[in-house]
Short mmCIF file of all heavy atoms in Angstrom, two decimals:
data_model
loop_
_atom_site.label_atom_id
_atom_site.label_comp_id
_atom_site.label_asym_id
_atom_site.label_seq_id
_atom_site.Cartn_x
_atom_site.Cartn_y
_atom_site.Cartn_z
N TRP A 905 75.12 86.76 -17.17
CA TRP A 905 74.65 86.59 -15.80
C TRP A 905 73.74 87.73 -15.36
O TRP A 905 72.75 87.54 -14.67
CB TRP A 905 75.83 86.47 -14.86
CG TRP A 905 75.46 86.40 -13.41
CD1 TRP A 905 75.45 87.42 -12.51
CD2 TRP A 905 75.02 85.24 -12.70
NE1 TRP A 905 75.04 86.98 -11.27
CE2 TRP A 905 74.77 85.63 -11.36
CE3 TRP A 905 74.82 83.92 -13.05
CZ2 TRP A 905 74.33 84.75 -10.40
CZ3 TRP A 905 74.39 83.03 -12.09
CH2 TRP A 905 74.14 83.45 -10.78
N GLY A 906 74.07 88.94 -15.79
CA GLY A 906 73.29 90.09 -15.38
C GLY A 906 71.89 90.11 -15.94
O GLY A 906 71.04 90.87 -15.47
N ALA A 907 71.60 89.28 -16.96
CA ALA A 907 70.27 89.26 -17.54
C ALA A 907 69.29 88.39 -16.76
O ALA A 907 68.11 88.36 -17.10
CB ALA A 907 70.35 88.76 -18.99
N ARG A 908 69.76 87.71 -15.72
CA ARG A 908 68.87 86.83 -14.97
C ARG A 908 67.94 87.66 -14.08
O ARG A 908 68.37 88.62 -13.44
CB ARG A 908 69.68 85.85 -14.12
CG ARG A 908 70.54 84.92 -14.95
CD ARG A 908 71.06 83.76 -14.15
NE ARG A 908 71.80 82.83 -15.00
CZ ARG A 908 72.19 81.61 -14.63
NH1 ARG A 908 71.90 81.17 -13.41
NH2 ARG A 908 72.86 80.83 -15.47
N GLU A 909 66.71 87.22 -14.03
CA GLU A 909 65.74 87.90 -13.19
C GLU A 909 66.06 87.70 -11.71
O GLU A 909 65.97 88.64 -10.91
CB GLU A 909 64.34 87.37 -13.51
CG GLU A 909 63.23 88.00 -12.69
CD GLU A 909 61.87 87.41 -13.02
OE1 GLU A 909 61.80 86.51 -13.88
OE2 GLU A 909 60.88 87.83 -12.41
N VAL A 910 66.44 86.49 -11.36
CA VAL A 910 66.86 86.18 -10.00
C VAL A 910 68.32 85.75 -10.08
O VAL A 910 68.65 84.76 -10.75
CB VAL A 910 66.00 85.06 -9.38
CG1 VAL A 910 66.50 84.72 -7.98
CG2 VAL A 910 64.54 85.46 -9.35
N ARG A 911 69.22 86.47 -9.41
CA ARG A 911 70.65 86.18 -9.49
C ARG A 911 70.95 84.96 -8.63
O ARG A 911 71.24 85.05 -7.44
CB ARG A 911 71.45 87.39 -8.99
CG ARG A 911 71.12 88.69 -9.70
CD ARG A 911 71.53 88.66 -11.16
NE ARG A 911 71.14 89.88 -11.85
CZ ARG A 911 71.85 91.00 -11.86
NH1 ARG A 911 72.96 91.10 -11.15
NH2 ARG A 911 71.44 92.05 -12.55
N HIS A 912 70.87 83.82 -9.24
CA HIS A 912 71.09 82.56 -8.53
C HIS A 912 71.82 81.61 -9.46
O HIS A 912 71.70 81.70 -10.69
CB HIS A 912 69.75 81.95 -8.09
CG HIS A 912 69.90 80.83 -7.10
ND1 HIS A 912 69.98 79.51 -7.48
CD2 HIS A 912 69.97 80.83 -5.75
CE1 HIS A 912 70.10 78.75 -6.41
NE2 HIS A 912 70.10 79.53 -5.35
N ARG A 913 72.60 80.69 -8.87
CA ARG A 913 73.37 79.75 -9.67
C ARG A 913 72.48 78.83 -10.48
O ARG A 913 72.86 78.39 -11.57
CB ARG A 913 74.29 78.93 -8.77
CG ARG A 913 73.57 78.17 -7.68
CD ARG A 913 74.54 77.53 -6.68
NE ARG A 913 73.82 76.79 -5.64
CZ ARG A 913 73.46 75.54 -5.75
NH1 ARG A 913 73.74 74.86 -6.86
NH2 ARG A 913 72.82 74.93 -4.76
N ASN A 914 71.27 78.50 -9.97
CA ASN A 914 70.28 77.75 -10.75
C ASN A 914 69.37 78.73 -11.49
O ASN A 914 69.48 79.94 -11.33
CB ASN A 914 69.46 76.85 -9.83
CG ASN A 914 70.29 75.74 -9.22
OD1 ASN A 914 71.23 75.24 -9.84
ND2 ASN A 914 69.96 75.35 -8.00
N HIS A 915 68.50 78.18 -12.30
CA HIS A 915 67.56 79.01 -13.05
C HIS A 915 66.29 79.17 -12.21
O HIS A 915 65.56 78.20 -11.97
CB HIS A 915 67.25 78.37 -14.39
CG HIS A 915 68.49 78.06 -15.20
ND1 HIS A 915 69.28 79.04 -15.75
CD2 HIS A 915 69.07 76.88 -15.50
CE1 HIS A 915 70.29 78.48 -16.39
NE2 HIS A 915 70.19 77.17 -16.25
N VAL A 916 66.04 80.40 -11.75
CA VAL A 916 64.93 80.70 -10.85
C VAL A 916 64.08 81.80 -11.47
O VAL A 916 64.60 82.83 -11.93
CB VAL A 916 65.44 81.12 -9.46
CG1 VAL A 916 64.26 81.40 -8.53
CG2 VAL A 916 66.33 80.03 -8.87
N PHE A 917 62.77 81.57 -11.48
CA PHE A 917 61.82 82.54 -12.04
C PHE A 917 60.84 82.95 -10.94
O PHE A 917 60.32 82.10 -10.21
CB PHE A 917 61.06 81.94 -13.22
CG PHE A 917 61.95 81.44 -14.33
CD1 PHE A 917 62.35 80.11 -14.36
CD2 PHE A 917 62.40 82.30 -15.31
CE1 PHE A 917 63.15 79.64 -15.38
CE2 PHE A 917 63.21 81.83 -16.33
CZ PHE A 917 63.60 80.51 -16.37
N ARG A 918 60.60 84.24 -10.87
CA ARG A 918 59.63 84.78 -9.91
C ARG A 918 58.33 85.09 -10.66
O ARG A 918 58.35 85.74 -11.71
CB ARG A 918 60.19 86.04 -9.26
CG ARG A 918 59.25 86.66 -8.21
CD ARG A 918 59.81 87.96 -7.67
NE ARG A 918 61.01 87.74 -6.87
CZ ARG A 918 62.23 88.12 -7.25
NH1 ARG A 918 62.40 88.74 -8.42
NH2 ARG A 918 63.28 87.91 -6.47
N PHE A 919 57.19 84.66 -10.11
CA PHE A 919 55.90 84.94 -10.77
C PHE A 919 54.82 85.00 -9.70
O PHE A 919 54.96 84.41 -8.61
CB PHE A 919 55.58 83.87 -11.83
CG PHE A 919 55.33 82.50 -11.28
CD1 PHE A 919 54.03 82.02 -11.09
CD2 PHE A 919 56.39 81.66 -10.93
CE1 PHE A 919 53.80 80.76 -10.59
CE2 PHE A 919 56.16 80.40 -10.42
CZ PHE A 919 54.87 79.94 -10.25
N PRO A 920 53.73 85.68 -9.98
CA PRO A 920 52.64 85.79 -8.99
C PRO A 920 51.87 84.48 -8.88
O PRO A 920 51.62 83.79 -9.87
CB PRO A 920 51.77 86.91 -9.55
CG PRO A 920 52.04 86.90 -11.01
CD PRO A 920 53.47 86.51 -11.18
N ALA A 921 51.49 84.15 -7.65
CA ALA A 921 50.67 82.95 -7.44
C ALA A 921 49.29 83.16 -8.05
O ALA A 921 48.75 84.28 -8.05
CB ALA A 921 50.55 82.65 -5.95
N PRO A 922 48.70 82.11 -8.63
CA PRO A 922 47.37 82.26 -9.26
C PRO A 922 46.31 82.60 -8.22
O PRO A 922 46.19 81.93 -7.18
CB PRO A 922 47.13 80.90 -9.90
CG PRO A 922 48.00 79.95 -9.17
CD PRO A 922 49.20 80.73 -8.74
N VAL A 923 45.54 83.63 -8.53
CA VAL A 923 44.53 84.12 -7.58
C VAL A 923 43.14 83.63 -7.95
O VAL A 923 42.39 83.14 -7.11
CB VAL A 923 44.57 85.66 -7.52
CG1 VAL A 923 43.48 86.19 -6.60
CG2 VAL A 923 45.95 86.14 -7.09
N THR A 924 42.79 83.76 -9.22
CA THR A 924 41.44 83.40 -9.65
C THR A 924 41.24 81.90 -9.56
O THR A 924 42.18 81.11 -9.68
CB THR A 924 41.20 83.87 -11.09
OG1 THR A 924 42.20 83.28 -11.94
CG2 THR A 924 41.30 85.39 -11.18
N ALA A 925 39.99 81.50 -9.36
CA ALA A 925 39.68 80.08 -9.21
C ALA A 925 39.91 79.35 -10.53
O ALA A 925 39.91 79.94 -11.61
CB ALA A 925 38.23 79.92 -8.76
N GLY A 926 40.07 78.03 -10.42
CA GLY A 926 40.28 77.21 -11.60
C GLY A 926 41.75 76.82 -11.73
O GLY A 926 42.60 77.17 -10.92
N GLU A 927 42.02 76.07 -12.80
CA GLU A 927 43.39 75.63 -13.06
C GLU A 927 44.09 76.62 -13.98
O GLU A 927 43.50 77.13 -14.93
CB GLU A 927 43.39 74.24 -13.70
CG GLU A 927 42.88 73.15 -12.78
CD GLU A 927 42.99 71.78 -13.42
OE1 GLU A 927 43.62 71.70 -14.50
OE2 GLU A 927 42.47 70.81 -12.86
N HIS A 928 45.36 76.85 -13.70
CA HIS A 928 46.19 77.75 -14.49
C HIS A 928 47.36 76.94 -15.05
O HIS A 928 48.12 76.33 -14.29
CB HIS A 928 46.68 78.92 -13.64
CG HIS A 928 45.58 79.73 -13.03
ND1 HIS A 928 45.17 80.93 -13.55
CD2 HIS A 928 44.77 79.48 -11.95
CE1 HIS A 928 44.18 81.43 -12.81
NE2 HIS A 928 43.92 80.55 -11.83
N THR A 929 47.48 76.93 -16.37
CA THR A 929 48.47 76.09 -17.04
C THR A 929 49.71 76.91 -17.36
O THR A 929 49.62 78.01 -17.92
CB THR A 929 47.89 75.50 -18.34
OG1 THR A 929 46.67 74.78 -18.02
CG2 THR A 929 48.88 74.54 -18.98
N TYR A 930 50.87 76.33 -17.05
CA TYR A 930 52.17 76.96 -17.27
C TYR A 930 52.98 76.09 -18.23
O TYR A 930 52.85 74.86 -18.24
CB TYR A 930 52.93 77.13 -15.95
CG TYR A 930 52.22 78.03 -14.95
CD1 TYR A 930 51.16 77.55 -14.18
CD2 TYR A 930 52.61 79.35 -14.78
CE1 TYR A 930 50.52 78.35 -13.26
CE2 TYR A 930 51.96 80.17 -13.86
CZ TYR A 930 50.93 79.67 -13.10
OH TYR A 930 50.29 80.49 -12.19
#
């Protein structure tokens, strides 16, 4: 549990919103 980036019962990932123009594939 301690290895989670966001301590939540579901799987939650924090990441920066795309800034540069165009499409960003995840």
Side-chain angles (χ1 to χ4, degrees):
W905 175 263
R908 297 195 176 191
E909 180 182 0
V910 178
R911 306 293 177 84
H912 193 268
R913 58 188 180 88
N914 293 328
H915 306 291
V916 181
F917 303 94
R918 182 184 292 111
F919 67 99
V923 177
T924 58
E927 294 184 9
H928 301 260
T929 304
Y930 298 80

